[in-house]
Amino acid sequence: MRSSDIPVTTTLTDDQMQALAQSFHDIAFEVGQVRLDAISAGSKLTDPAIVQLQGYVYSLMNTATSFALKAANLTLANADQAVSEITLATKAADDALDKLKDVDKAVQIASSVIVLAMAISTKDLGQIATAAKSVVTTAGLSV
């Protein structure tokens, strides 16, 4: 393998990490709001989807906190491309969750965002891209 074939790795800036943290925080808020709206509409706290959404809220908030604390400690190959794909995906998820009434759809979107968070932790651009595409598709956009 030639050195020109090796992807350039870049450490994300504090601003990029804070933007990722904010995106995951916003999605956690939206998932929580869908949950609260469903409860207000008559869903029980013990409903499996409601319980699952609560777990996703905690997981997404933990992810947001983790990104905020890591600051510039995340190094990715093709970081700008990765951040662009993550940003597109999290924006699509946030937009889809805004005013969403369908709890099952919220579960699907939140689940796909959590998979994206796990893909980011692998630092593998292929996994990040696949997970980001899945979020966008689950959120109802075509890519």
Side-chain angles (χ1 to χ4, degrees), residues 35 39 43-56 103-104 107:
R35 179 183 170 274
I39 291 167
S43 292
K44 303 290 184 213
L45 288 174
T46 56
D47 180 297
I50 297 299
V51 172
Q52 190 171 14
L53 283 178
Q54 184 61 38
Y56 287 162
V103 171
D104 291 333
V107 167

Side-chain angles (χ1 to χ4, degrees), residues 17-18 20-28 57-70 117:
M17 290 302 295
Q18 290 300 324
L20 288 179
Q22 186 65 55
S23 295
F24 280 85
H25 174 274
D26 293 348
I27 293 168
V57 168
Y58 287 127
S59 180
L60 291 164
M61 288 302 286
N62 285 336
T63 298
T65 301
S66 175
F67 286 149
L69 293 175
K70 285 181 183 174

Side-chain angles (χ1 to χ4, degrees), residues 8-26:
V8 175
T9 59
T10 307
T11 301
L12 272 62
T13 65
D14 287 347
D15 288 345
Q16 288 172 316
M17 290 302 295
Q18 290 300 324
L20 288 179
Q22 186 65 55
S23 295
F24 280 85
H25 174 274
D26 293 348

Side-chain angles (χ1 to χ4, degrees), residues 92-93 96 105 109 133-143:
K105 185 67 173 176
I109 293 170
K133 183 178 179 182
S134 177
V135 171
V136 170
T137 302
T138 303
L141 299 178
S142 58
V143 280

